[in-house]
């Protein structure tokens, strides 16, 4: 079981990589729940998906009716539908309450569960209190067979407990000093590699590319076709990932979709 962080500033291809990561891991879990903040992951669902049946998700729009569902109702739904994308149709405060219920439900399921929380800084904000159920996902969830992926473009606004408990990280580019400072507190390498404006960055050989920071790649029309990310774990694993090497099977509907083409596409 893992507690993973996937983070980069807006426009860096975060939702594309997040969708690829879900595709790549869905077969490893008995249950999958994606808390989809902006409708970026509906490409994983049956109607729009190019995925094989074993990896396809079902879609549920979460509005005011679903907001009143009890934890018991969510448990039954998650038992019936092994892979779900839940798309937000409520305000941020209500969404946080719903995700808290889903967190409790996920921890009551038999078997292994992967919970993906998009725009996680709204569910687990850095300021103020967060629901105990959400905090539980970041702390004891792993011991109960629940893995998590926390996805955000606002690292400085994500709860410190969530950051501290992650044992797997996929981090892209950040220009904000506060975000870079947060990275420096959770990784064992020079965080300047995550600033696309840096020059001659000194990092371990495993993630070095002639001293260059993580980069974005564009085609001749100025469209984003890929970006670089740093994979790291608390066990000391390090790697530099280029999303041009990652082929996404399902259709991508992320916020960067107008400027992000599928790697390898003509």
């Amino acid at each position: 079981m893992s507690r993973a962080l996937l983070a980069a500033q807006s426009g860096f291809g975060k939702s594309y990589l997040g969708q690829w990561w879900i595709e790549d891991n869905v077969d490893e879990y008995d249950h999958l729940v994606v808390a989809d903040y902006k409708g970026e992951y509906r490409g994983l669902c049956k109607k729009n998906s190019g995925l094989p049946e074993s990896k396809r998700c079902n879609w549920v729009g979460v509005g005011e009716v679903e907001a009143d569902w009890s934890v018991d109702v969510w448990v039954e739904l998650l038992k019936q539908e092994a892979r779900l994308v839940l798309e937000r149709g409520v305000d941020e405060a209500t969404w946080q309450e719903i995700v808290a219920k889903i967190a409790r439900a996920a921890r009551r399921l038999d078997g292994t569960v992967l919970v993906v929380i998009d725009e996680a800084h709204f569910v687990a904000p850095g300021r103020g209190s967060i629901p105990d159920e959400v905090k539980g996902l970041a702390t004891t969830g792993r011991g109960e067979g629940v893995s998590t992926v926390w996805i955000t473009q606002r690292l400085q606004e994500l709860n410190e407990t969530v950051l501290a408990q992650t044992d797997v990280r996929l981090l892209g580019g950040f220009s904000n000093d506060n975000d870079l400072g947060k990275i420096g507190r959770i990784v064992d390498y020079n965080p300047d590699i995550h600033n696309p404006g840096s020059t001659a960055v000194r990092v371990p050989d495993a993630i070095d590319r002639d001293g260059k920071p993580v980069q974005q790649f564009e085609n001749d029309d100025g469209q984003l076709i890929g970006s670089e990310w740093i994979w790291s774990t608390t066990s000391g694993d390090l790697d530099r990932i280029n999303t041009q090497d990652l082929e996404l099977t399902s259709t991508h509907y992320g916020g960067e979709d107008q400027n992000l083409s599928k790697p390898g596409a003509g």
Side-chain angles (χ1 to χ4, degrees), residues 117-255:
I117 303 177
D118 185 39
E119 301 296 347
H121 54 279
F122 289 118
V123 174
R127 294 185 178 181
S129 61
I130 65 173
D132 290 340
E133 297 87 349
V134 173
K135 186 177 292 186
L137 281 183
T139 54
T140 61
R142 184 171 62 172
E144 298 170 347
V146 180
S147 291
T148 49
V149 179
W150 307 81
I151 302 177
T152 185
Q153 62 182 341
R154 299 179 184 175
L155 200 56
Q156 60 182 302
E157 297 180 17
L158 186 63
N159 183 268
E160 289 285 351
T161 298
V162 172
L163 283 174
Q165 293 295 321
T166 56
D167 49 26
V168 176
R169 298 130 189 166
L170 256 177
L171 302 175
F174 285 97
S175 300
N176 184 281
D177 288 341
N178 291 328
D179 289 322
L180 293 168
K182 286 257 187 178
I183 292 173
R185 294 199 291 272
I186 62 173
V187 301
D188 295 326
Y189 55 83
N190 184 355
D192 286 343
I193 193 174
H194 291 287
N195 183 354
S198 296
T199 58
V201 181
R202 285 183 170 271
V203 291
D205 290 343
I207 55 174
D208 185 34
R209 189 168 65 79
D210 301 323
K212 294 180 180 179
V214 293
Q215 308 236 318
Q216 294 173 284
F217 304 102
E218 298 179 344
N219 61 19
D220 293 339
D221 296 323
Q223 294 177 313
L224 184 67
I225 58 172
S227 53
E228 290 182 319
W229 299 70
I230 304 300
W231 163 278
S232 66
T233 72
T234 52
S235 299
D237 301 312
L238 276 177
D239 201 2
R240 191 171 184 133
I241 306 297
N242 186 337
T243 61
Q244 292 179 102
D245 300 327
L246 308 177
E247 184 174 359
L248 186 63
T249 301
S250 57
T251 304
H252 178 63
Y253 293 96

Side-chain angles (χ1 to χ4, degrees), residues 72-90:
D72 288 339
V73 172
W74 283 110
V75 169
E76 290 307 310
L77 178 61
L78 297 176
K79 286 180 178 178
Q80 294 172 21
E81 305 290 350
R83 295 171 297 279
L84 280 175
V85 172
L86 306 175
E87 185 171 327
R88 180 183 69 96
V90 294

Side-chain angles (χ1 to χ4, degrees), residues 35-96:
D36 188 356
Y37 186 83
K38 293 187 293 187
E40 295 183 307
Y41 297 93
R42 61 187 182 276
L44 294 164
C45 301
K46 289 184 177 180
K47 183 177 179 181
N48 305 304
S49 177
L51 291 170
E53 183 67 30
S54 63
K55 291 190 175 187
R56 291 176 190 165
C57 300
N58 286 319
W59 179 93
V60 174
V62 180
E64 297 301 331
V65 172
E66 291 76 16
D68 289 334
W69 288 356
S70 67
V71 174
D72 288 339
V73 172
W74 283 110
V75 169
E76 290 307 310
L77 178 61
L78 297 176
K79 286 180 178 178
Q80 294 172 21
E81 305 290 350
R83 295 171 297 279
L84 280 175
V85 172
L86 306 175
E87 185 171 327
R88 180 183 69 96
V90 294
D91 61 37
E92 292 164 5
T94 305
W95 183 241
Q96 186 189 53

